[in-house]
Amino acid sequence: MTPPVVDVDWLDQHPEAVLADVRWYPDGRSPLEAFAEGHLPGAIFISVDDVLAGPPSDEAGRHPLPGPAAFAASLGALGIGDDDVVVAYDDAGGVIAARLVWMLRAIGHEAALLDGGITAWAGATSTATTRRSPALFTPRPWPSERLADIDEVASAGQSLVVPASAPGDVLLDARPAERYAGAPDALDPRAGHVPGAVSLPAREHVDADGRLLPVEDLRERFTASGVTGENKVISSCGSGITACHTLLVMEHAGLGAGRLFPGSWSQWSRDPSRPSATGAPAPLQPDDSGDQRAAMTVGGAVPRAVAAAGTGAGTGPAAAPALGTVQEPSTGAYDVDAVRAHFPALEAGVAHFDSPGGTQVPREVADAIAASLTAPTANRGGLTAAARASEAIVAGFRASVADLLNADPRGVVLGRSATQLTFDLARTLSAGWGPGDEVVVSRLDHDANVRPWVIAAQRAGARVRWLDFDPETGELTPDHLRAVLGERTRLVAVTGASNLIGTRPDVTALAALAHDSGALTWVDGVHLTAHAPVDVATLGADFYVCSAYKFLGPHCSALAASPDLLETLRPDKLAPSTDAVPERFELGTLPYELMAGATAAVDFLASLAPDASHADAADTTADTAAGAGRRARLVTAMTAVEAHEDRLRERLEEGLAALPGVVLRSRAAHRTPTLLLTYPSAAPGTAAAASEHLAALGVNAPASSFYALEASRHLGLGDAGGLRVGLAPYSDDRDVDRLLDGLRGFTAG
């Protein structure tokens, strides 16, 4: 791991490091002009206001942390990628540049502060503008254990005035002593400091040359302020900038990480319910416990803490645990309660068994979409920051889908829906078909993997052959495929899992048979991807489609295929549009906000790996975010999701077996947690009536054939289908109990 602070000699030994010029002047001077007048050779300029802070507000302060997606897009647009080591500098002793370094290190990225900043550089500076190619910087959430919200700050402040309330907490104020004492300040509506805060000016950590004091001196300063290296420390300042320097220096001195109060005084002073204190820092005195505490006069009573331990950066009971820390570290078990806390829709109290038609969305996905819409974006390119941001979002989408499916990101195509992608590729693939050629479609499939091929075959004069399944067992076997394969079979279209009855055919065996006959395989993975780890290479799928809204994301889809295979296909496209793969298959300007949301959904899934813990959240979040680390965590996470859902499915099946008149159509040995219920001895429309009964109880379980028209007919259910019950990562035992109770009541009635 890169140390938190490095010197120019370290830079000489690490020429690969990305230099970031992070100058900023509160007096109104232009840092960009200062950069243009001279900077370290090869450095890029990073704006505090545009990159390192979100929009200011009374609720969040003058420099709140930006959203993870916006931060990632900005860095990616500037050419900083997941694997780049960043060294930041300024001309103010590091108190500004430390903001970038702290932000990066908080999410597990390699970064360091250049001791002494630009003044420590002995060589010539440069006036040339460095342009780096856009890179992939994967969004990673701000870990809750590195942040403190305003109520936790109030609690920490109280512990300094009333030690028994929370002994060991230390609240540091990094502003100059005069601002702490209450000198008039045009930046904020009130002067003073948070009651109980200890004054420890950040600029006093450095000498006259802007270099950090020796480590021994730094440790002495922190120790005198009550920091022991074992207690809880929160760092604040005016707006959350110089407070980062305090935290970085603490780490440099071996005193732990501490937490940042992002809004700092700019947030506290705007809340009239929060008391303030004034007066110069008082001499440190031992409190009753023997710890060092600052004795000071408090201007008003300190409110009792209202934040519960473990809340994240948000306030109130709805604040969710940080992504990447949703599991209990002591057991390694799948913690569904922690997962559910991320889904605002669940607060309505409805039990959702409608996930096969589309899942609920976690906050992180909504935040990523909002951040991409409010950040500067433009048509993709490399000229402007906005264009580079869009480029980075696209690259992030392809990389995340590739990790989810173990595919090549160069072969990931965005689509509006799986239906649209299948129709588009069916037209393209069938351009080479003719009379005598055959295409195999499955009666088990959603119509989106049936009708496009039927229509394409009819137009080409090719023959459609139907792949049946056993309606009694729900199984589709290799023997079923052998019966319809021929020498002229061009393509076999099959589902990875039935969206109606959950059957998971042996796609690997089916694909091998298809390939032996010289045919391509098109796998509809829309339903499968939401419930199990997927490896397109192991499946043998030449084409694999999935939809983000089925795995906690927004309404968009993706196709994964070999880039070499895609190179052989010539879709219809506009003359000026690129002919590069995969872009040649994507028509029009891409929906960047949906791509950002899909990436966030993949990252959220990766965070569900049961070994995530509060202790190592920074490291595991970094692993989640990039390359093989995210892929490995996705496999672990989806394996845990599969086990969780299968356990609930077995409970459901046991309860349903006891209900008179109910027939369970989901019987395959290998199946997803998707159950189809029918009432064959009851009047037509009973399944729909059961759905209405459940809806009145706040249980969503719809009745239909759900576009699996051929499957419903093959089961003898006509076009009506049955009552479908589907589980999701956020389903729990209480949901199962409510469903079973509701069905018992319906049956009894």
Side-chain angles (χ1 to χ4, degrees):
M1 184 75 176
T2 304
V5 179
V6 299
D7 55 21
V8 291
D9 291 336
W10 188 95
L11 278 184
D12 291 339
Q13 299 168 20
H14 297 82
E16 76 282 0
V18 178
L19 289 172
D21 189 308
V22 195
R23 283 181 273 184
W24 179 76
Y25 306 109
D27 59 8
R29 284 179 292 158
S30 169
L32 194 54
E33 289 181 5
F35 175 80
E37 292 171 0
H39 51 264
L40 299 194
I44 58 175
F45 175 74
I46 293 187
S47 167
V48 169
D49 293 316
D50 297 334
V51 178
L52 305 186
S57 68
D58 288 349
E59 293 75 21
R62 285 186 276 113
H63 288 111
L65 290 173
F71 181 55
S74 296
L75 294 187
L78 290 167
I80 298 176
D82 285 334
D83 298 324
D84 288 321
V85 177
V86 178
V87 176
Y89 70 88
D90 58 27
D91 57 2
V95 297
I96 305 300
R99 168 77 167 207
L100 172 63
V101 178
W102 181 88
M103 290 168 68
L104 289 171
R105 292 177 72 88
I107 58 174
H109 194 94
E110 301 278 330
L113 179 70
L114 179 60
D115 192 17
I118 194 170
T119 60
W121 183 256
T125 57
S126 172
T127 58
T129 300
T130 300
R131 295 192 184 279
R132 296 173 58 85
S133 299
L136 170 62
F137 193 100
T138 309
R140 307 166 215 177
W142 305 116
S144 62
E145 68 274 12
R146 301 296 296 272
L147 301 173
D149 65 26
I150 194 168
D151 290 316
E152 291 172 302
V153 168
S155 178
Q158 180 175 334
S159 75
L160 295 170
V161 181
V162 188
S165 66
D169 287 1
V170 178
L171 174 61
L172 301 177
D173 190 321
R175 294 176 299 163
E178 59 271 18
R179 291 181 61 192
Y180 170 93
D185 188 344
L187 295 173
D188 297 306
R190 284 191 288 166
H193 57 263
V194 177
V198 178
S199 178
L200 189 65
R203 294 184 185 272
E204 295 180 12
H205 297 318
V206 298
D207 61 21
D209 294 326
R211 287 181 169 84
L212 285 170
L213 301 175
V215 168
E216 295 77 9
D217 294 346
L218 293 172
R219 289 181 65 89
E220 184 177 343
R221 282 176 51 78
F222 279 99
T223 301
S225 300
V227 178
T228 66
E230 298 178 355
N231 50 359
K232 300 176 182 178
V233 177
I234 297 174
S235 179
S236 69
C237 59
S239 64
I241 301 296
T242 56
C244 294
H245 186 265
T246 296
L247 294 171
L248 205 64
V249 173
M250 272 182 56
E251 183 182 358
H252 172 64
L255 293 170
R259 293 189 291 166
L260 174 70
F261 175 25
S264 289
W265 183 248
S266 67
Q267 179 186 4
W268 184 281
S269 63
R270 282 169 170 75
D271 185 345
S273 70
R274 304 289 177 179
S276 62
T278 58
L284 294 172
Q285 299 176 358
D287 66 14
D288 293 339
S289 67
D291 292 336
Q292 293 294 309
R293 290 289 185 266
M296 57 189 66
T297 302
V298 179
V302 180
R304 292 285 179 183
V306 298
T311 56
T315 58
L323 187 61
T325 61
V326 296
Q327 308 303 329
E328 290 296 332
S330 59
T331 64
Y334 186 86
D335 188 344
V336 69
D337 287 337
V339 173
R340 288 173 65 88
H342 289 267
F343 291 82
L346 300 184
E347 295 171 8
V350 173
H352 285 274
F353 291 93
D354 49 1
S355 60
T359 53
Q360 305 307 305
V361 174
R363 289 182 183 85
E364 289 79 2
V365 171
D367 289 346
I369 293 172
S372 69
L373 288 171
T374 55
T377 54
N379 286 338
R380 295 162 60 191
L383 181 60
T384 67
R388 292 193 296 271
S390 298
E391 197 76 56
I393 288 175
V394 175
F397 169 79
R398 300 201 203 284
S400 66
V401 173
D403 283 346
L404 180 66
L405 307 178
N406 200 27
D408 189 328
R410 299 172 301 160
V412 173
V413 180
L414 175 83
R416 183 180 70 253
S417 65
T419 302
Q420 171 253 310
L421 281 171
T422 309
F423 264 118
D424 285 353
L425 270 294
R427 284 191 294 269
T428 302
L429 287 163
S430 63
W433 300 351
D437 289 330
E438 297 179 349
V439 60
V440 175
V441 294
S442 157
R443 296 195 191 279
L444 189 62
D445 273 74
H446 187 290
D447 209 52
N449 203 28
V450 173
R451 216 55 51 189
W453 306 113
V454 171
I455 294 172
Q458 290 172 343
R459 287 176 177 168
R463 180 185 180 188
V464 175
R465 304 203 67 178
W466 289 91
L467 175 59
D468 286 332
F469 68 95
D470 186 335
E472 291 301 316
T473 65
E475 300 283 9
L476 189 158
T477 69
D479 286 339
H480 289 112
L481 180 57
R482 288 189 185 96
V484 294
L485 274 176
E487 294 181 356
R488 298 290 297 274
T489 302
R490 303 298 298 274
L491 181 136
V492 174
V494 68
T495 186
S498 167
N499 73 306
L500 187 67
I501 58 175
T503 298
R504 291 177 58 179
D506 187 347
V507 174
T508 301
L510 298 175
L513 288 173
H515 293 156
D516 288 344
S517 296
L520 296 170
T521 56
W522 181 283
V523 178
D524 179 349
V526 171
H527 188 64
L528 175 63
T529 308
H531 299 291
V534 173
D535 186 327
V536 294
T538 299
L539 290 175
D542 297 297
F543 302 92
Y544 186 97
V545 290
C546 60
S547 294
Y549 76 101
K550 299 298 178 74
F551 55 79
L552 316 181
H555 282 77
C556 63
S557 62
L559 164 71
S562 162
D564 292 338
L565 176 57
L566 294 179
E567 287 284 3
T568 68
L569 305 178
R570 316 302 304 183
D572 295 335
K573 57 177 285 295
L574 301 180
S577 63
T578 180
D579 197 41
V581 168
E583 283 85 354
R584 73 168 66 155
F585 298 93
E586 295 167 333
L587 306 181
T589 302
L590 298 176
Y592 305 123
E593 67 279 6
L594 299 183
M595 300 177 92
T599 298
V602 172
D603 283 333
F604 185 85
L605 287 174
S607 80
L608 302 184
D611 61 346
S613 72
H614 296 280
D616 61 359
D619 292 336
T620 57
T621 303
D623 285 344
T624 300
R630 178 167 58 186
R631 171 61 190 171
R633 291 185 63 75
L634 281 164
V635 172
T636 302
M638 293 309 297
T639 300
V641 167
E642 185 177 18
H644 167 71
E645 293 177 342
D646 280 347
R647 182 187 67 79
L648 293 180
R649 173 181 59 79
E650 291 169 1
R651 275 203 66 213
L652 264 174
E653 290 172 344
E654 182 180 353
L656 294 171
L659 294 179
V662 176
V663 174
L664 185 61
R665 301 285 181 165
S666 304
R667 302 166 181 167
H670 200 200
R671 58 191 183 273
T672 64
T674 303
L675 309 178
L676 186 71
L677 285 59
T678 60
Y679 295 81
S681 60
T686 301
S691 177
E692 293 177 4
H693 174 81
L694 291 171
L697 300 175
V699 178
N700 290 3
S704 173
S705 60
F706 305 100
Y707 280 73
L709 197 61
E710 299 295 338
S712 183
R713 292 171 178 174
H714 195 59
L715 289 167
L717 305 177
D719 295 354
L723 181 74
R724 186 177 67 180
V725 174
L727 297 168
Y730 46 74
S731 301
D732 65 6
D733 288 277
R734 290 163 294 189
D735 290 339
V736 171
D737 291 339
R738 290 177 63 186
L739 174 71
L740 291 174
D741 287 345
L743 288 174
R744 291 187 191 102
F746 176 76
T747 302

